[in-house]
Amino acid sequence: MYSKTLLIFYGFLLAEVNSIAVPDDPSCAVGNTKTTKDCCVVPKVVDPVLKARCKAENPLDPNEVKTDGCCVARCSMINLNVFQNNIIDKAAAKRALRATVGADPQFAPITNRIIDACANKVNMDASLRVPPISAATGVEGCSLRPELFIDCVSLQMFQQCPASALTKDAGCDALMAKANSGKCYFETLEG
């Protein structure tokens, strides 16, 4: 009986671990003298009004095991018809993000290419095929795909910041080096 319970717990834990992306390198948030906003003002992927509404619909509950940021991102992408059947729809993303990142004339030329790259990366990640299952409750959590997609788009927009929008100084150069290392999420560099 004990070993069967342990096996079930291990199965839930394994499902949860397999559905979690690689964490940031701890150095990503350390020693930064600049933020992404100081170096390149990247347009928001999600309209702040929609994001606020999704945050209100998905409040942080310390008694519930889930990744709240993932639930807010999922809510945002579902409302934009970008996330359906646990897949990021590239065509829908291009239509939806035309009003946010694509509306900025400096970023418009690179938006579709970035959306394609990020959607492909997130959709092809086998560890994200199913939403995470909480080891504590056995309840399905929110898919990581929408959050990773938004983070990927934001990070690539920063990495490919047009020269006309880029601040060149030592602090920004160091932040860009971290962004280009492949070890950091955009959220960590945002400051």
Side-chain angles (χ1 to χ4, degrees), residues 57-168:
E57 292 173 9
N58 293 280
L60 178 62
D61 181 352
N63 298 315
E64 189 174 333
V65 179
K66 68 177 183 178
T67 306
D68 293 87
C70 293
C71 295
V72 173
R74 181 189 66 176
C75 170
S76 300
M77 293 293 102
I78 286 172
N79 275 279
L80 294 170
N81 296 315
V82 170
F83 185 65
Q84 299 171 34
N85 301 318
N86 202 35
I87 295 290
I88 300 293
D89 181 325
K90 287 189 284 191
K94 288 175 186 175
R95 285 190 302 273
L97 301 188
R98 199 175 291 139
T100 56
V101 291
D104 186 314
Q106 295 183 101
F107 289 90
I110 60 174
T111 299
N112 285 346
R113 183 171 25 95
I114 288 173
I115 289 170
D116 283 337
C118 290
N120 288 341
K121 178 182 177 183
V122 171
N123 286 338
M124 294 174 84
D125 187 333
S127 69
L128 303 174
R129 280 199 185 119
V130 294
I133 304 294
S134 167
T137 64
V139 175
E140 184 178 288
C142 295
S143 173
L144 295 168
R145 280 187 168 152
E147 183 173 13
L148 293 175
F149 174 72
I150 291 169
D151 185 74
C152 178
V153 170
S154 298
L155 183 61
Q156 286 202 22
M157 289 285 181
F158 180 69
Q159 291 170 322
Q160 298 177 44
C161 185
S164 59
L166 187 62
T167 301
K168 295 294 287 173

Side-chain angles (χ1 to χ4, degrees), residues 9 104 114 126 159 178 184 190-191:
F9 174 75
D104 186 314
I114 288 173
Q159 291 170 322
K178 284 186 179 186
C184 304
E190 241 180 333

